Amino acid sequence: MRNIRYKRIKILLLVTVLLAGAGILAFTENDKYFQIAKNLDIFAAFYRELNTYYVDDLSPEQVMHKGIEAMLEETDPYTDFVSEENLDDLKFMATGKYGGVGASINTSGDSTVVTDIYEGSPMFKAGVKPGDILVSLDGQPTRGMDQEEISRILKGAPGTALNMELQNPLTGEKITRRIVREEINVRPVSYAGMVGNDVGYIKMVQFTENSGAQVQMAFEKLKQENPAMKGVILDLRSNPGGLLDEAVAVSNIFIEKNRLVVSTKGKVKNWDREYKTPQPAVDAGIPLAVLTNRSSASAAEIVAGAVQDLDRGLVVGQRSFGKGLVQTTRPLPYNAKLKVTTAKYYTPSGRCIQAIDYSHRNPEGEVDYVPDSLRRSFTTLGGRKVRDGGGIEPDAPVAPVYLSQVAITLLRKQYIFDYATRYYYAHPQIADAGRFSLTEEEFADFVRFLDGKDYSYKTQSEDALENFEAIARKEKYYDAVAAEYAALQQKIKHDKKQDLLKHKTEIRRLLEEEIVNRYYLQKGRIERSLAWDNEVNEAAKLLQSSARYHELLK
């Protein structure tokens, strides 16, 4: 949001100067507020003189942009200026709603391809498919447009129309569709279902308005349809957070009434608050596992922290991001907003899990993580030790799984996506999302599909060997080891087809997820991935083993 435009800056500047002038006599030299007024006066005078006498014309927008950016550099990355034209972004963060067509796109070279369609969206209703190529929008060719510009055109006020020309990726046939934009609601619960026969699973992607109600509906439906359910997994991995009140509402589904979920403390003491569960829990006894990873942040960490501190369930996966800061929006002139960090939040045990210390900077202005030596210990309701200053550490750690370099390259170059498109048009229907699998012949067909395509890449071993060569040459050792270097280089030289076979299982899973997405959209992709999701399967095992579950809670 910091890449912004500023309107009517001269009027704002005049208001600033008047305020500074009016207040300057009211404070003493030692008073902080006097110092603020004094420096505002100096700033205004400096800009006035610069604008009057500098040899070239200066853009007020660009100069003030630099000034605001410089001020924001002294804060954390969550404090920001939001101009009037960017208020929709702020609204989307709070509500999960925006005006548009309900699709994701990817621009590569001169071609823009539809990559995902949201169920029930205008694009879905118009029969647009992932893989379709966007040729023009309202008669304007997309060739030469960047992705951001195309996304801007696709968005718009609900009820407005957009004429779209699309091309079939296989036949080249062009069709025209008139799409009427609607309010797109990105649902906070992207999937709810069962893992095996007895463990419920709810995937939550953000904390926007009514998130708590939607999670509760999903949970109650799972219980009703699966009366023998032994436990539930709440998946908050890669959930960036959102509204604090919704974090309390989600916690209240599993935590009994009048329990402290989170407290906030900041500079303005009148704003300090304690947030307790306001209602009786929907189910305060069912075994619960909350999944987190390095991208689980903010409100997601509030829920995970409350569940952990109150010994209500287990946190499974990896340590969370560590964002223990609360933002508030403040009104500015001309419909602009200041999104500013006003407080830190504390979990029920009293710990703040903020991982990066923005209040202390080195001489270069850089910030760093809170060192382990300064992290303090706290205790959960049952006496287990937990620590502050570094996110939520899992009760049951599960090592993350990283993609191989060949898989990353196939994804980045869109070869998996393109093969899924070809597969979709060749197969009118497939098995249910959870049961679909590629045959050996179909995987062999994918390998043939890659013939002649460039998916070259460097392995980490090759990178390390190249670094060694550069250092050895610099230090004059290379000639002495040249023969050994050449032999080692030949040994680790990778064969692309062998890498495909070596990482066959991983690549096959990525193919199956992408293919299933064509038939069953995002829900299908998630359902298919559950079969090999290590964190989900570990959480399910813990919930199915009462002894192990309660042992970890001691």
Side-chain angles (χ1 to χ4, degrees):
M1 290 186 189
R2 291 186 179 176
N3 199 4
I4 49 183
R5 296 178 178 272
Y6 303 96
K7 296 180 176 180
R8 311 172 193 173
I9 198 66
K10 291 183 179 179
I11 298 175
L12 279 171
L13 180 59
L14 178 60
V15 172
T16 301
V17 172
L18 290 173
L19 287 172
I24 199 166
L25 298 177
F27 306 105
T28 67
E29 182 65 26
N30 294 326
D31 196 304
K32 178 180 178 181
Y33 294 101
F34 170 74
Q35 291 294 328
I36 294 172
K38 171 185 171 182
N39 284 285
L40 281 171
D41 199 22
I42 292 171
F43 177 83
F46 177 86
Y47 176 73
R48 182 173 59 249
E49 297 298 311
L50 186 68
N51 183 64
T52 302
Y53 296 111
Y54 185 66
V55 63
D56 297 319
D57 285 337
L58 296 171
S59 165
E61 287 187 7
Q62 291 182 9
V63 171
M64 291 301 168
H65 174 83
K66 295 287 186 183
I68 292 176
E69 283 291 311
M71 283 189 280
L72 290 172
E73 286 298 322
E74 297 299 311
T75 69
D76 59 53
Y78 315 110
T79 297
D80 213 345
F81 174 85
V82 185
S83 62
E84 182 178 8
E85 55 264 35
N86 286 315
L87 286 179
D88 283 345
D89 294 333
L90 196 63
K91 177 184 175 184
F92 175 70
M93 291 171 62
T95 65
K97 300 175 182 177
Y98 69 95
V101 298
S104 299
I105 60 169
N106 178 67
T107 298
S108 179
D110 291 326
S111 180
T112 297
V113 176
V114 178
T115 55
D116 277 293
I117 303 289
Y118 301 149
E119 186 175 0
S121 69
M123 293 279 265
F124 178 85
K125 295 172 185 174
V128 179
K129 306 294 183 185
D132 286 352
I133 300 167
L134 283 178
V135 178
S136 68
L137 299 170
D138 280 340
Q140 186 177 2
T142 58
R143 187 182 182 90
M145 288 188 190
D146 61 32
Q147 186 164 319
E148 185 176 348
E149 184 179 4
I150 295 172
S151 294
R152 181 185 58 77
I153 296 172
L154 293 175
K155 292 178 181 178
T160 58
L162 177 67
N163 293 313
M164 184 181 299
E165 186 180 15
L166 300 122
Q167 184 177 23
N168 184 288
L170 297 186
T171 66
E173 179 187 358
K174 293 182 180 180
I175 57 171
T176 301
R177 291 285 184 267
R178 184 176 184 271
I179 309 290
V180 178
R181 299 180 183 91
E182 297 178 8
E183 183 177 75
I184 307 300
N185 186 1
V186 179
R187 298 180 183 276
V189 176
S190 59
Y191 179 82
M194 298 296 291
V195 179
N197 297 320
D198 53 6
V199 174
Y201 172 84
I202 300 172
K203 172 68 175 173
M204 191 180 180
V205 296
Q206 58 189 359
F207 285 80
T208 49
E209 288 179 356
N210 299 315
S211 294
Q214 292 197 35
V215 175
Q216 180 173 331
M217 287 173 59
F219 175 62
E220 289 177 333
K221 184 178 180 182
L222 286 175
K223 284 187 65 176
Q224 182 180 1
E225 295 177 351
N226 304 275
M229 191 165 68
K230 291 182 178 179
V232 63
I233 299 169
L234 179 62
D235 190 349
L236 301 182
R237 291 174 298 176
S238 300
N239 186 317
L243 301 178
L244 185 150
D245 287 339
E246 294 301 330
V248 177
V250 171
S251 301
N252 200 176
I253 297 169
F254 306 105
I255 296 172
E256 60 192 22
K257 183 178 180 180
N258 207 32
R259 287 286 191 178
L260 178 66
V261 172
V262 64
S263 59
T264 61
K265 298 176 185 178
K267 182 187 294 183
V268 182
K269 297 305 176 186
N270 289 339
W271 290 0
D272 290 355
R273 284 195 60 186
E274 289 188 342
Y275 295 83
K276 296 182 178 181
T277 47
Q279 306 291 336
V282 176
D283 192 329
I286 190 169
L288 170 66
V290 178
L291 302 187
T292 62
N293 63 9
R294 293 297 296 181
S295 297
S296 304
S298 187
E301 294 176 294
I302 289 176
V303 173
V307 168
Q308 187 175 65
D309 283 5
L310 298 173
D311 296 307
R312 175 58 189 87
L314 296 175
V315 178
V316 179
Q318 298 95 48
R319 181 190 294 187
S320 65
F321 180 79
K323 180 180 179 288
L325 306 175
V326 181
Q327 284 71 50
T328 304
T329 56
R330 303 291 299 165
L332 296 174
Y334 305 102
N335 296 320
K337 300 280 187 183
L338 169 63
K339 182 167 73 75
V340 57
T341 298
T342 54
K344 294 180 179 179
Y345 71 75
Y346 298 82
T347 66
S349 67
R351 56 182 169 143
C352 178
I353 51 86
Q354 176 63 27
I356 300 177
D357 185 3
Y358 294 104
S359 62
H360 296 90
R361 297 174 182 266
N362 64 22
E364 287 74 39
E366 299 170 335
V367 296
D368 205 348
Y369 286 89
V370 176
D372 281 347
S373 60
L374 296 181
R375 295 180 64 195
R376 298 176 298 164
S377 291
F378 295 77
T379 56
T380 69
L381 191 65
R384 295 184 298 144
K385 284 189 177 181
V386 290
R387 295 197 296 169
D388 68 357
I392 304 296
E393 296 180 87
D395 305 303
V398 180
V401 175
Y402 298 105
L403 291 178
S404 64
Q405 192 61 50
V406 63
I408 292 171
T409 303
L410 293 173
L411 288 169
R412 181 171 55 82
K413 298 223 170 186
Q414 296 283 297
Y415 293 142
I416 286 177
F417 181 89
D418 291 343
Y419 183 79
T421 300
R422 193 172 83 162
Y423 188 98
Y424 173 77
Y425 283 102
H427 299 79
Q429 61 185 20
I430 62 171
D432 294 341
R435 296 187 295 110
F436 171 76
S437 64
L438 283 174
T439 65
E440 290 296 322
E441 175 53 36
E442 286 169 338
F443 185 82
D445 183 57
F446 172 69
V447 175
R448 290 191 294 270
F449 167 78
L450 293 175
D451 283 345
K453 291 181 170 60
D454 175 25
Y455 56 100
S456 57
Y457 56 91
K458 286 183 181 178
T459 64
Q460 291 183 352
S461 298
E462 288 173 314
D463 275 335
L465 199 59
E466 285 187 6
N467 289 335
F468 167 78
E469 179 186 5
I471 295 170
R473 288 184 182 278
K474 182 178 179 180
E475 295 180 345
K476 312 298 184 186
Y477 292 123
Y478 179 75
D479 290 342
V481 297
E484 290 87 346
Y485 175 84
L488 183 59
Q489 186 180 43
Q490 188 61 35
K491 282 184 179 180
I492 69 170
K493 185 177 181 180
H494 68 279
D495 181 293
K496 292 191 297 182
K497 280 201 172 181
Q498 286 303 313
D499 279 357
L500 288 177
L501 298 177
K502 179 181 177 182
H503 299 286
K504 177 181 177 180
T505 300
E506 173 186 61
I507 295 168
R508 185 171 179 166
R509 289 171 176 176
L510 293 172
L511 281 166
E512 290 177 5
E513 288 177 25
E514 187 61 49
I515 290 170
V516 164
N517 184 57
R518 302 307 170 92
Y519 298 86
Y520 303 108
L521 304 179
Q522 186 185 33
K523 289 181 180 179
R525 183 195 292 271
I526 295 172
E527 183 178 355
R528 187 70 198 106
S529 71
L530 292 179
W532 45 75
D533 191 316
N534 286 353
E535 287 98 333
V536 170
N537 290 321
E538 178 61 25
K541 289 177 185 176
L542 288 171
L543 294 172
Q544 289 165 337
S545 172
S546 179
R548 178 65 175 149
Y549 176 81
H550 287 99
E551 180 184 345
L552 288 173
L553 284 173
K554 289 181 180 178

